[in-house]
Structures are given as C-alpha cells and as structure tokens.
Amino acid sequence: MEAAGLIQIGLQVLPLVTTGVTEFIAWLEALRTNLRQSGEWTAEQDADFTAKLAAKENDPRYQQDPPPPAA
Amino acid sequence: MKNFKLSRLLTSLSGAITGIAFGWLIASCILTGCATLDPNADPFVVRTEQVQKQADATFDFLLGVDNADRGFWRTNAPALHNFCEYLRTPIAVSPTHNSPRILAIERNVQDLKVQYKANRSAGNSNLLYQISSELSLLVLQGNSWSNIVSTTTH
C-alpha cells in the first residue's frame, strides 16, 4: 500500500523539512490514522466528510489566483 | 571477577534494551498498516475511503504551502503553482454552481460511494472505481509535490 511507503519516505525526509513543518507532520499523522481504518465509515462520518468538503469551497487555500490587472 | 562480568553483561543488555526500545518506536511509526479489516466491511469501500482521507490531507497540505506565498512558488516553482491552480480551477458541478476542481472530484467520489453503499451493484462499483482511480492518481502526484516542496534542495 502506497500510504505505508509514503510514511516511511515522510519519516526519512522529516529532518529536511523546511516549509510547513506542522502541516507536514499533520499530513503524516493523517496517513497513519488512515492506515488504521478497519471498517467502513458510518453514515454520520459520511455526512461529516460531505459537510467538510462543502465548507472548504470558501477556504482561501482552494481559491484561484485573482486575474492579473488589465494593462 | 564475577562482578566485572555482571557489569559487562548489564552494559551490553542496556544497549540491547535501548536498541529494542528505539526499534519499537520506529516500528510503531512505520508498521501501522497492519489493521485487520472488519469481516463485514467491503474492502472496495474501505480502500476508497482511505484514498479520500489521503486526498483530504494531501491537498490541504499542498494547497496550504502554495497559498502561504503564491508569488514565491509562481516564480520559483511554476510547475507546482500551475498544478495547484489546476486543482483550484472552478468547474461546473450544477447549472448554477461552480466548485474548485479537486473539491468537485472529491465530492463526486463521496456521492458515488454513498450511492454504492446504498446499492452495491456492479454498475455503481464501476463508476466509483473510475472516479476514485482518477482521485488516486491526483493524490500520487500531490504526494510527490508534497515531498519535493517541503524539503530543502541545497
């Protein structure tokens, strides 16, 4: 499974990380949690995930660059 | 003489114990992929949900890094910035609503998965497989960028 490989790579490159250290660790942690999943999500978890995706539509990280000013 | 041997034995034992403890720590970080699948769980659904969670974490991280200083990445790593902009491009998800491309794809996977869970037919599984494979490819590309942009290059 590629997530397990990614965790190994992530742990190896962790000392070299210079940008977004906290986010990088959060990303690694998310991969680890992901691998521990043993069953299907419940209906509530599905609803939470859908709501989370909807909320991200206004997240600045997901917005395109503004168009360049007209010359 | 006996005490000397005992102290040597203890020294070597303490080294071994430290080694075992350190190995256990590393193993606990790495060997997390051994979760046993619930016998009632559909492996296809679980795999799709793992891809969804991975996509969620990967794109939050990658787009967050790019968003922290878009000008810098646009100039110094245009390929990364273009990939992020590709993910952000609004696409129509309904006649009246546009959504960033990656969120539209994630939403599509989620909707198809819920549909499949309600009716586990071959037709539904084919559709879900198709769209989750597309998401999986984007995640792989996103993961590669995540490792590149977060590490030093000198």
Side-chain angles (χ1 to χ4, degrees), chain A residues 1-4 6-11 13-14 16-21 23-24 26-27 30-32 34-43 45-47 49-50 52-54 56-66, chain B residues 28-30 32-33 35-38 41-42 45-47 49-50 52-54 56-61 63-65 67 70 74 81 85 88-90 97-100 102-103 106-107 110 113 117 120 143 147 149-152:
Chain A
M1 168 166 239
E2 69 264 21
L6 278 169
I7 291 174
Q8 290 186 36
I9 294 169
L11 286 171
V13 301
L14 191 56
L16 306 172
V17 170
T18 53
T19 310
V21 177
E23 290 84 358
F24 189 81
W27 174 64
L31 294 183
R32 283 187 59 200
N34 196 12
L35 284 175
R36 291 194 201 121
Q37 181 177 349
S38 58
E40 295 177 17
W41 291 351
T42 60
Q45 285 174 306
D46 269 324
F49 192 76
T50 307
K52 194 178 167 189
L53 288 179
K56 278 190 197 175
E57 296 216 351
N58 299 317
D59 188 326
R61 291 175 296 182
Y62 285 80
Q63 305 308 313
Q64 267 200 312
D65 288 348
Chain B
S28 70
C29 288
I30 295 171
T32 48
T36 316
L37 196 66
D38 182 343
D42 182 339
V45 171
V46 175
R47 178 68 188 129
E49 287 171 349
Q50 285 177 326
Q52 286 182 280
K53 283 296 280 181
Q54 205 172 322
D56 189 51
T58 300
F59 296 121
D60 273 0
F61 170 64
L63 295 177
V65 167
N67 187 53
R70 293 191 187 202
R74 195 183 298 118
H81 185 70
E85 284 296 284
R88 293 178 179 126
T89 307
H97 184 63
N98 288 345
S99 178
I102 190 61
L103 291 180
E106 286 188 60
R107 185 62 192 264
Q110 173 67 0
K113 187 198 70 190
K117 276 168 131 179
R120 298 180 194 238
N143 283 330
N147 280 327
V149 300
S150 57
T151 51
T152 179

Side-chain angles (χ1 to χ4, degrees), chain B residues 17-31:
Chain B
I17 289 168
T18 311
I20 290 168
F22 187 70
W24 179 257
L25 182 73
I26 295 293
S28 70
C29 288
I30 295 171
L31 301 176

Side-chain angles (χ1 to χ4, degrees), chain B residues 110-138:
Chain B
Q110 173 67 0
D111 290 347
L112 284 170
K113 187 198 70 190
V114 170
Q115 200 177 319
Y116 172 73
K117 276 168 131 179
N119 175 18
R120 298 180 194 238
S121 67
N124 281 341
S125 75
N126 287 346
L127 276 174
L128 179 58
Y129 179 76
Q130 209 174 339
I131 188 76
S132 69
S133 300
E134 191 183 327
L135 181 62
S136 193
L137 285 174
L138 284 172

